[in-house]
Amino acid sequence: MVAPGNVVTVLTWPGSNPTLSSILLNSHMDVVPVFKEHWSHDPFEAFKDSEGYIYARGAQDMKCVSIQYLEAVRRLKGEGHHFPRTIHMTFVPDEEVGGHQGMELFVQQPEFQALRAGFALDEGLANPTDAFTVFYSERSPWWVRVTSTGRPGHGSRFIEDTAAEKLHKVVTSILTFREKERQRLQSNPHLKEGAVTSVNLTKLEGGVAYNVVPATMSASFDFRVAPDVDLKAFEEQLQGWCQAAGEGVTFEFAQKWTKPRVTPTDDSNPWWKAFSRACKDMNLTLEPEIFPAATDSRYLRAVGVPALGFSPMNRTPVLLHDHDERLHEAVFLRGVDIYTRLLSALASVPTLPGDS
Ligand SMILES: CSCC[C@H](NC=O)C(=O)O
Ligand SMILES: [Zn+2]
Ligand SMILES: [Zn+2]
């Protein structure tokens, strides 16, 4: 148990050489809510239609991956394989709301240290093309609430220095920045979504009556900061926008990740070498990218475990968190084949400098 009511389940397949670090196959157990009325089938029945599409909340995010890990290990064991490195499967809670009651705590516990993870796989995203996306880093979620205070009064008057005017200035600064980043992404075909910083205005709060000018109003933003951004300078920029709007404008964080890490995707990283080699042997095309949102990989990378985000779903639209989340059975089953090969390769990576 990592926190009250939050359990991490670990399944272990011991390797033949216990001095080697292990392979961690992570997946989260929780899913996001549904709007049932917008679904073609009951989202909690895992209904398979006549074409072979499996409809379910979690079909992509990420029950598919948890089951594929289990099936790949089952197959390898059934075929009598035995690898040098231990394989652990971790099933964690709370990912969808930030992992604060899950992986964030687990990586600090002795039980995690005891796993001696050398490398981890975690979730990725579907890819609508023939290729498979693999994620080597993530953007940092910064959830920021800007609160503006000003002079109240009667709604019929030209009150000076109102909370709304100053909040409007901050909103404009931030949405102007948003547009700049959007243009930067749009104008450069080499840039993928995760390589620029995104922001959305997601909440506006304040006011009590039409004819009362409120003394305070707030706006909440979901920033996803690209991993190459200087975070100190970025926070100063936020401060600058608030200050420029006038007196009494402050901000606070509801989420603030400050330890972005990059898992190398070249042959200097033996795990990448084994992973990409196995994919090449299967004729899979890989598209390495930065994960646009946040997963538990960030906690693993931050404690020094190199991690790749990979959900083997090609020719599949990205439907996580969406209505009618679904996955074709053929893609799902091929994913089991893919993990079977990947695990054989990863659990056979020879002794590394950090091992023993
Ligand atoms: C920032 S904590 C929330 C984590 C969440 N992860 C999956 O969707 C996300 O919004 O990216
Ligand atoms: Zn997920
Ligand atoms: Zn999710």
Side-chain angles (χ1 to χ4, degrees):
M1 189 154 82
V2 280
N6 286 285
V7 170
V8 173
T9 301
V10 183
L11 298 184
T12 299
W13 183 14
S16 56
N17 184 349
T19 67
L20 301 180
S21 64
S22 68
I23 310 296
L24 195 78
L25 305 178
N26 185 58
S27 59
H28 63 79
M29 298 181 284
D30 55 329
V31 293
V32 291
V34 295
F35 299 91
K36 210 172 169 206
E37 63 278 19
H38 293 286
W39 282 65
S40 310
H41 304 283
D42 184 331
F44 297 107
E45 262 196 7
F47 177 84
K48 185 167 78 179
D49 74 7
S50 57
E51 288 174 56
Y53 288 97
I54 303 159
Y55 288 72
R57 176 54 88 222
Q60 293 194 8
D61 180 18
M62 62 176 298
K63 303 294 172 201
C64 52
V65 171
S66 311
I67 300 165
Q68 285 163 332
Y69 291 156
L70 289 164
E71 290 299 329
V73 167
R74 187 212 300 271
R75 186 183 300 173
L76 290 165
K77 285 185 107 171
E79 289 172 356
H81 293 279
H82 207 186
F83 302 112
R85 290 184 191 268
T86 294
I87 295 174
H88 298 291
M89 286 176 274
T90 49
F91 302 88
V92 301
D94 202 49
E95 190 278 342
E96 294 293 3
V97 286
H100 307 300
Q101 306 296 314
M103 190 60 98
E104 184 170 23
L105 298 175
F106 185 49
V107 294
Q108 299 304 334
Q109 295 185 341
E111 289 86 348
F112 178 82
Q113 294 304 320
L115 301 179
R116 302 186 54 245
F119 173 73
L121 287 179
D122 199 347
E123 68 186 307
L125 295 174
N127 186 321
T129 76
D130 229 20
F132 293 81
T133 322
V134 57
F135 297 94
Y136 58 89
S137 186
E138 297 191 357
R139 299 196 290 195
S140 299
W142 279 24
W143 292 356
V144 179
R145 185 156 102 142
V146 178
T147 301
S148 173
T149 55
R151 288 171 51 179
H154 197 284
S156 65
R157 305 184 61 213
F158 283 114
I159 313 278
E160 295 285 326
D161 192 42
T162 61
E165 290 168 288
K166 290 182 285 186
L167 191 63
H168 176 222
K169 282 191 189 161
V170 179
V171 168
T172 301
S173 301
I174 293 177
L175 293 186
T176 303
F177 166 78
R178 179 186 193 272
E179 184 55 16
K180 253 177 41 199
E181 287 294 282
R182 202 180 68 84
Q183 293 288 349
R184 193 159 74 85
L185 173 65
Q186 218 175 29
S187 61
N188 183 347
H190 298 297
L191 282 184
K192 296 282 165 42
E193 198 184 354
V196 302
T197 296
S198 71
V199 56
N200 278 292
L201 170 57
T202 48
K203 261 197 208 177
L204 280 172
E205 290 163 293
V208 285
Y210 276 98
N211 61 353
V212 176
V213 174
T216 171
M217 294 191 114
S218 75
S220 301
F221 299 90
D222 180 354
F223 283 91
R224 304 297 172 126
V225 187
D228 62 347
V229 168
D230 175 342
L231 293 180
K232 192 167 165 280
F234 193 72
E235 187 165 345
E236 283 164 10
Q237 173 69 266
L238 273 177
Q239 203 130 36
W241 286 326
C242 289
Q243 262 162 18
E247 288 276 298
V249 183
T250 57
F251 66 96
E252 65 200 317
F253 289 99
Q255 300 264 354
K256 187 188 186 193
W257 182 249
T258 55
K259 294 181 221 159
R261 300 282 184 269
V262 171
T263 296
T265 50
D266 57 46
D267 283 355
S268 71
N269 175 2
W271 304 107
W272 173 258
K273 204 169 152 184
F275 179 92
S276 57
R277 177 68 196 260
C279 289
K280 193 157 181 258
D281 290 347
M282 289 182 273
N283 277 320
L284 308 185
T285 306
L286 288 179
E287 292 180 346
E289 282 188 31
I290 297 159
F291 199 81
T295 75
D296 283 335
S297 297
R298 71 189 185 283
Y299 300 121
L300 292 164
R301 293 192 187 107
V303 294
V305 180
L308 294 174
F310 181 67
S311 299
M313 298 182 282
N314 69 339
R315 301 183 191 172
T316 302
V318 177
L319 289 173
L320 79 170
H321 298 202
D322 206 341
H323 308 320
D324 276 349
E325 179 179 356
R326 62 190 178 276
L327 181 61
H328 197 278
E329 62 178 342
V331 176
F332 170 74
L333 290 172
R334 182 156 178 241
V336 178
D337 299 341
I338 291 171
Y339 279 119
T340 305
R341 299 276 291 266
L342 283 176
L343 296 188
S344 308
L346 292 166
S348 306
V349 167
T351 311
L352 299 170
D355 287 328
S356 84

